[in-house]
Amino acid sequence: MNEKNMKSLFSKSLSRGKWIVTVATIVTSAAIFGILFYEGSKKAVALTLDGEQKEIRTHANTIQDILEELDVSNRSEDYLYPSGDTKVSNNMKIVWEPAKQVDVTVGDQNKKVWTTADTVKDLLSEQDIELGEHDEIQPDVSEKIDGKHEGKD
């Protein structure tokens, strides 16, 4: 092989190497830009879920989509603000409080109700139950309603 052929071979090899480096740089740059764009286009949302506060970034379209992403089963009796079909926007605040199932006995009638009330007094008000002067109530109206989420699916 003569010197001219050697230079030609080396020159072709060098230009092929430059081409590979250029393509790799473009692909890497595009991937990095895509990831940054994807992450940057997420919406920031402040959540209060059953009293626990957290902030997330999401691409979810609706509040119900966020709850599904977080594996939160939302019952119709639960408190959710804004509603589940509300479109998610940046810096949105969402509150979800699960309903609790409690037994309410008035006279000889017993019924199970779902409530998000914090106290027995709030539950009585929610159920439109008025206490008379001689009525007995147990637990006391000031007692907190148990948060064990009984009967929850």
Side-chain angles (χ1 to χ4, degrees):
M1 230 184 207
N2 66 24
E3 192 178 319
K4 189 175 181 184
N5 288 340
M6 198 66 142
K7 284 182 180 179
S8 175
L9 181 64
F10 183 70
S11 175
K12 286 180 184 178
S13 175
L14 185 60
S15 67
R16 181 179 294 155
K18 284 183 179 179
W19 182 81
I20 290 172
V21 169
T22 302
V23 169
T25 301
I26 291 170
V27 169
T28 304
S29 297
I32 291 171
F33 177 74
I35 290 169
L36 291 175
F37 177 76
Y38 179 79
E39 289 300 316
S41 65
K42 288 182 176 179
K43 299 171 195 106
V45 177
L47 298 168
T48 303
L49 300 175
D50 197 11
E52 182 182 329
Q53 295 182 351
K54 64 166 66 175
E55 290 188 21
I56 65 165
R57 295 187 55 79
T58 184
H59 279 118
N61 291 320
T62 66
I63 292 173
Q64 188 61 43
D65 293 340
I66 291 175
L67 295 179
E68 288 172 10
E69 283 179 3
L70 297 173
D71 201 27
V72 172
S73 58
N74 182 36
R75 303 178 67 93
S76 61
E77 297 88 0
D78 295 344
Y79 175 79
L80 179 61
Y81 181 80
S83 67
D85 59 352
T86 303
K87 295 276 186 209
V88 175
S89 61
N90 203 26
N91 298 318
M92 179 177 250
K93 291 181 172 119
I94 301 168
V95 177
W96 174 77
E97 190 68 39
K100 302 165 281 269
Q101 190 177 39
V102 295
D103 292 320
V104 176
T105 304
V106 178
D108 59 354
Q109 291 187 330
N110 187 10
K111 66 179 178 175
K112 291 187 183 293
V113 297
W114 288 94
T115 184
T116 56
D118 290 327
T119 64
V120 172
K121 181 179 180 179
D122 295 339
L123 173 64
L124 294 174
S125 176
E126 181 182 271
Q127 296 294 312
D128 292 324
I129 299 172
E130 293 182 23
L131 292 178
E133 183 179 330
H134 302 289
D135 290 340
E136 293 180 23
I137 184 156
Q138 184 182 359
D140 189 73
V141 292
S142 63
E143 289 288 319
K144 291 247 181 229
I145 294 179
D146 184 65
K148 292 182 182 173
H149 313 299
E150 296 171 4
K152 192 103 169 120
D153 290 337

